[in-house]
Amino acid sequence: MSSPPLPTEAAQDGSGDATNYIFFNDHDALVLSGGGARGAYQVGVLKAIAEWLPADAPCPFEVLVGTSAGALNAAAIGARAHSLREAVESLEEVWSNFRVEQVMRAGSLTMLRSGLHWMVSLLSAGWIAKPPRSLFDTSPLHRLLARVVPLDQIPAQIAAGRLHALAVATTSYTTGQAVAFFDGSGDIADWHRVRRAGHRRRIDLDVLMASAAIPFIFPASSIDGNHYGDGAMRQLAPLSPAVHLGANRVLVIGTRGSAAATPPTGAVTQAPPSPAHLLGFVLDSLFTDGLSIDLERLDQINRLIVAAGHTEHRPIRATVIQPSVDPTVIAMKHERCMPRSIRTLLRTMGAYEARGGLLVSYLLFDKSYTCELMAMGHADAQAQRAEIVPYLAPWVT
């Protein structure tokens, strides 16, 4: 297959009107969206894929892109790109034994201190105590990632040609831009578009913690002197990093169930939404709406390219796997596995009212819940095997 023309200078620096959906390479990409504890679903899908491949097969996806929890999964795969099965086994070991305490400090004393801090700050209008920077302390997650994700191996995987690029989506609190930090082949240039950019940088713990820093809930992370938060906040085009990194075939593993927008049976729709409902609703929008819109836009552009008979541009193939069952429903079956201190806080916020469970589904880092999500991801992948297999050539045909 002949290569399409090289981009113009305007297209390279982002000053022209070139669309993000013009690509100049021929790579397969894996895009893992955000979703907090729902990220366990992605591990189940990847486990099924690893089982279809030969035991010694490398990661079949040359480009990896992750946001929030998806970024943690993508980095773990990139660090072990020489063997997808080994990478997935390492992820499965973590997600199948998760406890909330491995992600955030949740002891009763810690939560009491946090509550008192909020109260003193509120009553003193911030004069006696400054407002807390987040609801939870995520230092346990930092220690967990340092132990289980060998980030120092990523450059070697790139140098060996097993990985073309790894990108982690973040949001800059300084510029308000969606910033994708990437490490990859030397021929990849930075990019700049309206409200979003891609910058080459070593993927380290600061970058991962920033991508997973859910606003208000988890603290921001400092990267090179500036603060960054969850990559989903300003992610107007979630597929854009994969395309800029040279992908024209994209497998997307999302975290929103098909019934996510449907209130549960018996819900009191007349009642005003609780704070937990609102916060869960915001998280659901952050993690999934941008992806849905970008996929719809991609489909429209593909149709225009085909209809116009373009020869210099080709459609970008995208396959999406989403939970077949709303994770909120599953989360509410396991909510009592959360520490009592967090359950008390969530109950105060209205998390157990109708649709308040959305918030629980993103924060329930417990093995009872994550194992069920992984099992669903594995089953959903089996059901969509025919759609996934084209990404696995030449190992699977």
Side-chain angles (χ1 to χ4, degrees):
M1 181 180 294
S2 61
S3 300
L6 292 175
T8 63
E9 182 178 352
Q12 288 178 324
D13 66 15
S15 62
D17 59 357
T19 173
N20 274 358
Y21 299 98
I22 301 175
F23 62 87
F24 307 99
N25 296 106
D26 193 29
H27 299 297
D28 288 343
L30 176 67
V31 175
L32 302 177
S33 67
R38 295 185 181 202
Y41 175 82
Q42 298 170 346
V43 180
V45 174
L46 292 169
K47 180 181 179 181
I49 294 174
E51 290 173 349
W52 303 338
L53 296 171
D56 59 348
C59 175
F61 303 98
E62 301 149 298
V63 173
L64 302 173
V65 178
T67 301
S68 196
L72 310 186
N73 289 337
I77 296 170
R80 296 181 173 89
H82 62 277
S83 172
L84 181 65
R85 187 164 299 187
E86 180 183 328
V88 172
E89 286 175 351
S90 70
L91 282 171
E92 187 180 13
E93 175 67 21
V94 173
W95 284 95
S96 62
N97 293 285
F98 242 140
R99 293 177 291 105
V100 171
E101 293 83 359
Q102 293 177 305
V103 176
M104 50 195 172
R105 298 180 64 185
S108 297
L109 183 57
T110 299
M111 296 303 294
L112 178 60
R113 288 174 177 168
S114 178
L116 290 175
H117 189 167
W118 280 98
M119 184 178 298
V120 171
S121 177
L122 178 64
L123 294 177
S124 67
W127 287 102
I128 297 178
K130 293 183 179 180
R133 300 307 178 189
S134 64
L135 191 60
F136 297 112
D137 175 358
T138 54
S139 54
L141 176 61
H142 190 282
R143 292 192 293 270
L144 176 66
L145 294 175
R147 188 175 75 251
V148 303
V149 184
L151 294 174
D152 58 326
Q153 296 299 311
I154 292 174
Q157 301 288 359
I158 295 170
R162 304 186 189 100
L163 183 65
H164 182 65
L166 165 67
V168 172
T170 69
T171 299
S172 170
Y173 285 120
T174 302
T175 65
Q177 282 188 317
V179 179
F181 290 107
F182 70 89
D183 195 1
S185 176
D187 60 347
I188 304 173
D190 287 7
W191 66 85
H192 299 275
R193 292 290 186 268
V194 177
R195 310 302 294 174
R196 60 188 186 276
H199 297 306
R200 180 183 292 275
R201 188 190 188 280
R202 177 172 171 264
I203 304 301
D204 56 17
L205 286 175
D206 290 339
V207 173
L208 293 187
M209 291 299 293
S211 186
I214 301 174
F216 177 73
I217 298 176
F218 294 161
S221 178
S222 177
I223 302 175
D224 303 330
N226 293 310
H227 286 90
Y228 293 79
D230 198 293
M233 284 189 285
R234 288 292 179 91
Q235 201 172 43
L236 303 177
L239 303 181
S240 172
V243 177
H244 279 291
L245 295 172
N248 67 321
R249 293 176 299 273
V250 183
L251 178 65
V252 182
I253 308 179
T255 59
R256 170 185 274 180
S258 57
T262 305
T265 302
V268 182
T269 56
Q270 295 84 357
S274 67
H277 181 174
L278 294 174
L279 184 53
F281 188 84
V282 168
L283 293 183
D284 194 56
S285 298
L286 288 178
F287 289 136
T288 61
D289 285 358
L291 176 60
S292 299
I293 294 170
D294 208 17
L295 286 166
E296 181 178 330
R297 181 165 53 225
L298 173 61
D299 181 64
Q300 292 172 345
I301 294 175
N302 282 342
R303 291 174 183 272
L304 289 173
I305 291 174
V306 172
H310 283 286
T311 57
E312 71 274 22
H313 303 156
R314 289 171 290 165
I316 296 175
R317 175 176 183 163
T319 300
V320 186
I321 302 178
Q322 300 267 35
S324 55
V325 177
D326 185 358
T328 303
V329 176
I330 299 174
M332 295 312 290
K333 295 193 302 181
H334 302 286
E335 55 86 15
R336 293 195 64 81
C337 295
M338 299 188 81
R340 183 185 298 273
S341 57
I342 294 184
R343 294 206 315 269
T344 300
L345 172 63
L346 293 177
R347 184 174 295 107
T348 302
M349 297 173 64
Y352 301 119
E353 298 177 9
R355 296 306 297 167
L358 259 177
L359 181 58
V360 177
S361 74
Y362 288 110
L363 299 180
L364 185 49
F365 292 94
D366 185 86
K367 61 184 180 181
S368 64
Y369 173 56
T370 57
C371 283
E372 188 164 348
L373 287 183
M374 284 191 292
M376 178 168 60
H378 189 274
D380 288 351
Q382 297 286 0
Q384 292 185 246
R385 175 172 175 143
E387 300 172 52
I388 299 172
V389 163
Y391 294 88
L392 308 183
W395 298 276
V396 181
T397 57

